[in-house]
Amino acid sequence: MPSPLSPSHTGIAAGLLAFLVWGLLPMYWKALAAVPPMELLCHRIVWSLVFLALLVTLRRGWSGVLHAMRSRRDVLLLMVSSMLVSGNWFLYIWAVNNGHVVESSLGYYINPLVNVLLGFLVFRDRLRRVQTVAILLATAGVLNMVWHFGRAPWLALALAVSFGLYGLVRKVAAVESINGLFFETLVLTLPAGGYLWLREAEGLGALGHLGWSTDLLLAGAGVVTATPLVLFAFAARRLRLATVGVLQYLAPTGMFLLGVFVYREPFSPAHMTTFLLIWAGVALYTADGLRSLRPSHGGLPRRG
């Protein structure tokens, strides 16, 4: 029997906390609804850089950051990933503060299936039959939205695809997660800082003008951005892929529950049909992942 401080227990605790933070993050951005989404995004970038610089210093990781900067290939890839992640962050903040928390959760339910599809298209990964069915079910859910509302859930699709492409680029770049995120925020800080300076020069800046609570929340945007990523990296090194795959759905579930039961966003029978189709696809995908990791001769699979 594993001890209370076994790697699996600490990994599960870190994973649960990471996905819980991500699932409750709409509450944080709602508390900053008075700040325009672009300005909020820029504060998120600048304060993330400050917090990540502190983390890198505490971890004595500057050599890893400098090593990543020596590779022209990795620098170019991280510049692309910085554009993708900033676009994803902006869409998410805008969605939350414009009453689209439920649709945002739909995007993050779809995201793992988008990852499978990107693997097939880019790396020529072979699609298993169950994975194909899962993708078809998600597609049916999207088509159901088109049929009932005359439009695709573009916001959900944009969130899923942008984050999927971000993950794809980061998979190709041989850079450790925290070091890579530091470089991404470093690339974005110059335009973000310039935008914040212009807002302040025009007398429109939020920092220092909307009360101390807003100032604290803006500064804390870096903490709520980087902390779950650090916790996730800690968990991923200690848990099986299947366990992480199950835990990842806690975040969109938290968002979904907030959107429906706390923020009372519209949720019609047509929405329910779409979610049921996508949940079915997600369940198949997860079950297939668990089955593929099952050892062939009994017992528990070994972790490296």
Side-chain angles (χ1 to χ4, degrees), residues 18 20 27 31 68 111 141 163 188 230 237 240 248 250 284 289:
L20 179 64
M27 298 175 68
N111 176 247
F163 201 71
L188 296 167
V230 174
R237 288 193 297 267
R240 292 187 303 166
Q248 72 179 325
L250 293 175
L284 279 177

Side-chain angles (χ1 to χ4, degrees), residues 219-296:
V223 178
V224 300
T225 296
T227 298
L229 288 168
V230 174
L231 290 168
F232 173 76
F234 179 89
R237 288 193 297 267
R238 289 160 176 79
L239 298 175
R240 292 187 303 166
L241 183 63
T243 305
V244 176
V246 173
L247 289 176
Q248 72 179 325
Y249 293 111
L250 293 175
T253 300
M255 294 163 58
F256 172 79
L257 294 175
L258 283 174
V260 173
F261 296 107
V262 176
Y263 302 124
R264 302 292 182 180
E265 293 183 5
F267 193 70
S268 65
H271 287 99
M272 177 59 78
T273 301
T274 288
F275 269 87
L276 287 174
L277 286 165
I278 289 170
W279 285 336
V282 164
L284 279 177
Y285 165 80
T286 304
D288 181 64
L290 291 169
R291 185 187 61 80
S292 68
L293 291 177
R294 187 177 301 160
S296 56

Side-chain angles (χ1 to χ4, degrees), residues 140-152:
V142 171
L143 291 176
N144 178 69
M145 291 283 284
V146 175
W147 175 263
H148 283 279
F149 299 104
R151 67 171 186 88

Side-chain angles (χ1 to χ4, degrees), residues 28 38 72 74 80 100 112 122 149 167 174 185 189 192 209 213 218 242 262 278 291 300:
Y28 197 92
M38 181 58 72
R72 181 180 298 180
D74 287 339
V80 172
H100 298 288
V122 177
F149 299 104
T185 53
T189 291
H209 300 287
S213 60
L218 287 173
V262 176
I278 289 170
R291 185 187 61 80
L300 294 174

